[in-house]
Amino acid sequence: QVQLVESGGGLVQAGGSLTLSCAASGERFSGWTMAWFRQAPGKERVNVAAITWGGGATRYHDSVKGRFTISRPSAENTVYLQMNSLKPEDTAVYYCAAGKGLGSYPHWGQGTQVTVSS
């Protein structure tokens, strides 16, 4: 059974940085795609970043390009989201997701809150 456990959320001032972690277990993830989504109150869930398990391909939402970096060190079953130059509009619950097909994520973590104060 696939398990995704996020950590690293918290409160940070605008301009600061946070790193989110997603520990993945329960499957051989080779060939899978891992992603980070976020959902702010009253808004739709947005895919902010994604990475193939082998790390060969990444993509980012326009709103975070140049500020966020998704990574998965080859020796770890953990996916990271390094978030720099945070803005109040980055405030949301951030979710880790995993799936085998492009754009299909049947497995989700419980979410971690990120709050950016102005």
Side-chain angles (χ1 to χ4, degrees):
Q1 181 176 351
V2 174
Q3 279 198 309
L4 304 172
V5 180
E6 302 102 331
S7 60
L11 173 64
V12 64
Q13 288 189 329
S17 299
L18 278 176
T19 299
L20 304 183
S21 301
C22 172
S25 63
E27 181 61 74
R28 293 184 71 245
F29 293 98
S30 177
W32 286 46
T33 299
M34 309 296 290
W36 286 97
F37 286 74
R38 70 185 181 190
Q39 187 166 23
K43 296 190 176 181
E44 292 188 352
R45 191 171 293 188
V46 174
N47 184 345
V48 296
I51 187 169
T52 54
W53 187 255
T58 58
R59 64 176 185 266
Y60 298 91
H61 191 272
D62 284 347
S63 65
V64 307
K65 282 181 181 176
R67 300 189 299 122
F68 290 13
T69 303
I70 189 170
S71 64
R72 205 281 300 177
S74 59
E76 301 182 29
N77 274 19
T78 302
V79 179
Y80 299 95
L81 186 68
Q82 174 67 43
M83 306 185 294
N84 298 327
S85 302
L86 283 162
K87 306 175 182 180
E89 51 264 43
D90 295 317
T91 295
V93 178
Y94 283 71
Y95 297 90
C96 179
K100 294 181 181 179
L102 183 63
S104 174
Y105 300 106
H107 305 285
W108 293 81
Q110 81 285 354
T112 186
Q113 176 71 47
V114 172
T115 302
V116 184
S117 63
S118 58

